[in-house]
Amino acid sequence: MTDDDDETGSPPSPEQRRSTHEETRHSRETTVRWFGTEFDPVVLVGSLAIIVVGVVLTVGFGDQASVAYRATFAFVNESFGWLYVLAVNVFLVALVAIGLSDYGTIRLGGPDAEPEFSTLGWVAMLFSSGMGVGLLFFGVAEPISHFVSGGGSFFDVPPNTPEAGRAATALTMFHWGLHPWGIYGIVGLALGYFSYNRGLPLSFRSIFYPLVGERIHGWAGRLIDLAAVVATVVGLATATGLAALQITAGVDFLTTTYLGTALATDVWTAATIATALIGVTVVSTWLGLENGIRRLSKLNVVLMVALLVVVLLVGDTVHLFDVFLEGVGTYLGNFVELSLYTEAFAGEAAGWQHAYTIFYWGFWTVWSPFVGLFIARISRGRTIREFVGGVLVVPVLFSLGWMAVFNGSALFVELSVAEGAISGPLQEHGPAVALFEMFSVYPLAFLTAAIATFNLMTFLVTSADSGSLVASYLTTSGTREPTTGQRVLWPLVIGATAIVLLFGNGLRALKTAVIAAGLPFSLVILLMVYSLTVGLRRDTQHDRPGDADRPQRGESDGQDSSRTAEDRSGDE
């Protein structure tokens, strides 16, 4: 049975057979077989070597490495913050424009392709791979930070006031609303289109085929995939370590408050939690996409919805609905100005945007190869318009609703219950404790804290599992069904990296370096947007009346219509 048979449940079309044939041919050109496993030695060995060297240098040089990373991050922010702002807006506008255009009717995988997953399962996996852990980690910490600062340099209102609360809600919605999903969506769309409709490997290099042709299978393409693997693994390792710290805070809150026993909140506890969760990730990875990630993703969504409903009901429910409407209104009312804001006239207040907006844009950009490729993998059979709608509507609405409930609940405590109850511990102990400090003020604190802690665990496993699958694709030249051994390798690498960084106190330093790496990825994705439009335009030029009896999209000899005459003559 072919890969296409598995996914659609029906015999593959001629176009799908050509796609599978082309993918297999290209994969074999750059991979070697060792102990029954195929892999690209340049991408696999090179990425592992860079990860090991980077972690060793970060831990070995300690404070010196941290200072160097912060200096690099500051330089990138101050010199190229405007480029981040411009690029992220281009990504969002391009995604919306493609979805609303005539290209929106193109189906990923061809006219006869059917979705592999139900709509509910698809949306659940979209959300779990892209946002889950972040919403839990920053859902209270970020708005309280904006509240204390008086809305940053954009709103510039008195801190710790109702006006600051309104500004904090709008700013948090802005950072977690349309723009991050615009980044993920445009990358996922390009990867899915070139893989499923052009017969190219499910790999980051494939998106540049219209520009460089067969040269994507050479050294340049392999280096692009190598960089994507390093960004994926290091980004997930830092996220794993930080999530382990927050889970430790959650378990400590539960044991101290309800069992009378304080948990040792040291690095050993966090490392033990990270090790256990990576063990679960290995099992999930071994079970595969259908039985592992899909089921965990549905559990994630159920837990998040349950937590959202409980917090909504135990808080001032009417007030939280008001927060949602007013927050969305303020967010949308300032949308264009916020989207293009660069602190050009912020004066002495400048610096807030670099610490928050540019930080988030860099974070989402670095994660886009991982999240985008995973979204592409699960989106075959969807039309481009359906894809864009799924990416920009459901996850964004849920994120806005989540932020309204958790922002509103936290700000209500600061404004109406006990000033400093959340902001004090946040400033003293960091963002990991903010969520649980909020729970402690409301009824059913044990229930909400327990759900949140368990949900953090399931989200972490899902993210690591998704990232492991993506790393497997990239290190096998885009093979869509890597072996179990290849998939299981990467959670072990992610876990080992996270644990070393925990013990070496290198998490925050390397996190800074990862965000700074978003700049070159922004340039790559800008080029990718152009490449995608070139590929789509060539498709529509060939799909004209009278072409129905010809091979789809001009593939008269099984080759992609976007290839140049020079490329084809080279094959001959």
Side-chain angles (χ1 to χ4, degrees), residues 349-393:
W352 167 85
Q353 191 225 19
H354 292 164
Y356 286 95
T357 305
I358 301 301
F359 170 84
Y360 279 122
W361 290 179
F363 185 83
W364 306 132
T365 301
V366 169
W367 269 45
S368 63
F370 144 53
V371 179
L373 198 150
F374 181 75
I375 291 174
R377 170 61 184 85
I378 63 175
S379 298
R380 182 177 176 178
R382 310 280 173 181
T383 66
I384 288 179
R385 188 163 296 136
E386 183 182 5
F387 175 94
V388 173
V391 168
L392 288 184
V393 176

Side-chain angles (χ1 to χ4, degrees), residues 408-422 438 441-442:
S409 298
L411 293 169
F412 181 81
V413 171
E414 289 284 325
L415 289 169
S416 304
V417 179
E419 182 179 352
I422 300 173
M438 186 196 77
V441 179
Y442 287 96

Side-chain angles (χ1 to χ4, degrees), residues 14-16 18 111 197 538-539 541-544 546-561:
E15 289 78 19
Q16 292 167 339
R18 281 199 297 273
N197 294 65
R538 287 173 177 169
D539 264 6
Q541 288 174 348
H542 285 85
D543 290 344
R544 295 171 178 170
D547 288 348
D549 296 330
R550 302 175 192 174
Q552 189 183 26
R553 313 210 192 286
E555 295 177 309
S556 59
D557 58 356
Q559 301 297 319
D560 187 275
S561 61

Side-chain angles (χ1 to χ4, degrees), residues 130-347:
M131 285 290 170
V133 172
L135 289 179
L136 285 164
F137 194 87
F138 293 104
V140 171
E142 184 182 347
I144 293 298
S145 298
H146 298 322
F147 174 73
V148 172
S149 72
S153 62
F154 183 84
F155 284 100
D156 193 22
V157 295
N160 303 305
T161 61
E163 292 80 6
R166 180 171 174 267
T169 301
L171 290 171
T172 308
M173 288 182 171
F174 170 61
H175 291 145
W176 294 83
L178 288 166
H179 284 84
W181 285 103
I183 302 171
Y184 291 161
I186 196 67
V187 174
L189 176 58
L191 287 166
Y193 171 74
F194 284 112
S195 177
Y196 296 131
N197 294 65
R198 293 299 189 90
L200 293 168
L202 188 56
S203 181
F204 211 67
R205 70 180 80 173
S206 297
I207 57 184
F208 300 106
Y209 191 89
L211 304 181
V212 299
E214 293 294 328
R215 288 187 291 276
I216 64 166
H217 304 296
W219 278 94
R222 298 165 95 176
L223 290 176
I224 290 172
D225 282 351
L226 186 154
V229 172
V230 172
T232 295
V233 172
V234 176
L236 280 170
T238 54
T240 298
L242 293 172
L245 293 174
Q246 189 178 29
I247 292 169
T248 302
V251 175
D252 176 60
F253 172 81
L254 292 170
T255 56
T256 302
T257 305
Y258 298 100
L259 300 179
T261 303
L263 179 72
T265 55
D266 56 16
V267 67
W268 284 99
T269 303
T272 301
I273 290 173
T275 301
L277 293 178
I278 290 300
V280 177
T281 303
V282 169
V283 175
S284 176
T285 304
W286 179 76
L287 289 172
L289 182 61
E290 178 71 21
N291 295 319
I293 297 176
R294 184 183 65 85
R295 291 182 177 178
L296 275 175
S297 297
K298 288 186 175 181
L299 176 61
N300 288 336
V301 173
V302 169
L303 289 172
M304 281 201 90
V305 171
L307 183 60
L308 184 69
V309 170
V310 172
V311 174
L312 178 66
L313 293 179
V314 300
D316 189 333
T317 306
V318 174
H319 172 69
L320 294 178
F321 280 118
D322 290 340
V323 170
F324 174 75
L325 292 176
E326 187 167 339
V328 171
T330 306
Y331 163 45
L332 295 180
N334 293 276
F335 182 80
V336 174
E337 190 176 357
L338 273 170
S339 299
L340 300 175
Y341 184 62
T342 60
E343 287 190 325
F345 303 101

